[in-house]
Amino acid sequence: MSVAKVEGNVLAGPSFFLQRAALREVALAHRSVYAAARPFPHVVVDGFLGDPLASALAAVFPDATHEGWKRRDHPEQAARLGQLQRQAFEGVHGSLRHLLAEFSGMLFLDFLEKLTGIQGLIPDAHFRGAGLHLTLRGGHLALHTDFNRDRFRALTRRLSVLYYLNPGWEPSWGGELELWNADVTACEARILPQLDRLLVMAHGETHWHGHPNPLTCPEGRGRAAVAAYFYTAEESPEAPTPHSAKWVVPSSA
């Protein structure tokens, strides 16, 4: 696992806005780590927002009693709560909604493009399948590859971003995100969901990942994550030829 250390709060200004220069510095320093990571491109950044801000966000993360959660209990995934975006994150604290907006904004897109080398990234302001996730004691997520298209906008998925908000998370509780090789014969990276840790990983048809073992965290605790997915558009032969603005002077002028 490759971890980029960031000094406390270097990426968040006094108004909780991501800072261009600091993001650029992190991206440039770690793009080679991202590209070379095994079993597929990814990078882990610790201390992304700084402990004070991360702790404040963790304190207002919705617990299991939030009425908007949709629970999933299937063989592939159990005790997993999500889908708050279906109610437009109603009842979610403003600071978390602001973080989601920042993840969809220009500076974060520039950071991801500089880090990964993928140009023309497009966020999903509707956070389909993303947003806020909470996995409870006993919950798990089987090894899988992610859905590959935004069928509403005909976009191709390229990146997944996960930001963890779990203060005091003990390794013995499990919940490590496991990254497996293409033929699913070996786990080559394990990422603990600790507070203020940002993970950026490439999408791929053989990019197997999950946390398949049931969590053993205490009752009342959960594995909290903020997720955002990013896409690119593909060239279409039917697309019009690009041109700049056209100007005209009315004949009656």
Side-chain angles (χ1 to χ4, degrees):
M1 181 183 67
S2 303
V3 178
K5 295 293 184 183
V6 181
E7 296 298 327
N9 217 28
V10 68
L11 296 185
S15 299
F16 178 23
F17 292 107
L18 300 177
Q19 301 297 300
R20 182 190 295 272
L23 285 169
R24 177 181 172 84
E25 181 180 346
V26 172
L28 291 175
H30 297 94
R31 59 184 178 180
S32 61
V33 175
Y34 169 87
R38 294 181 57 86
F40 48 81
H42 71 278
V43 72
V44 177
V45 180
D46 280 343
F48 184 68
L49 295 178
D51 186 79
L53 179 53
S55 295
L57 291 168
V60 296
F61 196 94
D63 63 21
T65 65
H66 191 287
E67 61 182 12
W69 287 122
K70 178 181 178 181
R71 177 167 174 148
R72 293 186 176 180
D73 284 298
H74 307 291
E76 299 82 11
Q77 54 182 320
R80 298 190 71 242
L81 309 181
Q83 300 296 328
L84 292 180
Q85 66 272 26
R86 292 189 174 186
Q87 286 80 41
F89 299 108
E90 184 176 349
V92 173
H93 195 276
S95 60
L96 286 167
R97 297 174 71 167
H98 178 78
L99 177 63
L100 292 169
E102 285 291 280
F103 279 172
S104 295
M106 173 182 65
L107 296 186
F108 195 69
L109 290 175
D110 289 349
F111 160 71
L112 291 177
E113 291 185 354
K114 186 69 65 176
L115 174 69
T116 66
I118 302 172
Q119 299 300 305
L121 286 172
I122 301 170
D124 178 15
H126 292 92
F127 290 93
R128 293 183 178 92
L132 307 184
H133 296 158
L134 182 65
T135 306
L136 307 179
R137 177 181 173 87
H140 73 279
L141 179 64
L143 294 180
H144 66 287
T145 60
D146 292 314
F147 67 87
N148 64 347
R149 296 278 288 172
D150 179 336
R151 58 188 175 88
F152 298 97
R153 299 182 294 170
L155 300 176
T156 299
R157 185 162 169 182
R158 303 298 301 276
L159 295 174
S160 299
V161 170
L162 296 171
Y163 179 63
Y164 294 112
L165 289 172
N166 300 295
W169 190 266
E170 297 287 344
S172 62
W173 298 349
E176 288 179 315
L177 186 69
E178 300 180 3
L179 309 184
W180 285 67
N181 60 5
D183 56 6
V184 202
T185 58
C187 176
E188 298 194 19
R190 290 182 170 86
I191 300 161
L192 200 68
Q194 66 187 41
L195 179 71
D196 205 19
R197 171 168 280 181
L198 183 85
L199 167 66
V200 180
M201 63 180 184
H203 171 82
E205 294 302 317
T206 59
H207 293 184
W208 304 102
H209 60 283
H211 53 98
N213 299 312
L215 298 183
T216 60
C217 57
E219 292 291 347
R221 288 296 305 264
R223 183 183 185 276
V226 180
Y229 306 150
F230 298 86
Y231 304 81
T232 54
E234 297 177 356
E235 290 289 342
S236 169
E238 291 80 26
T241 302
H243 61 73
S244 57
K246 296 181 178 180
W247 307 90
V248 65
V249 177
S251 57
S252 60

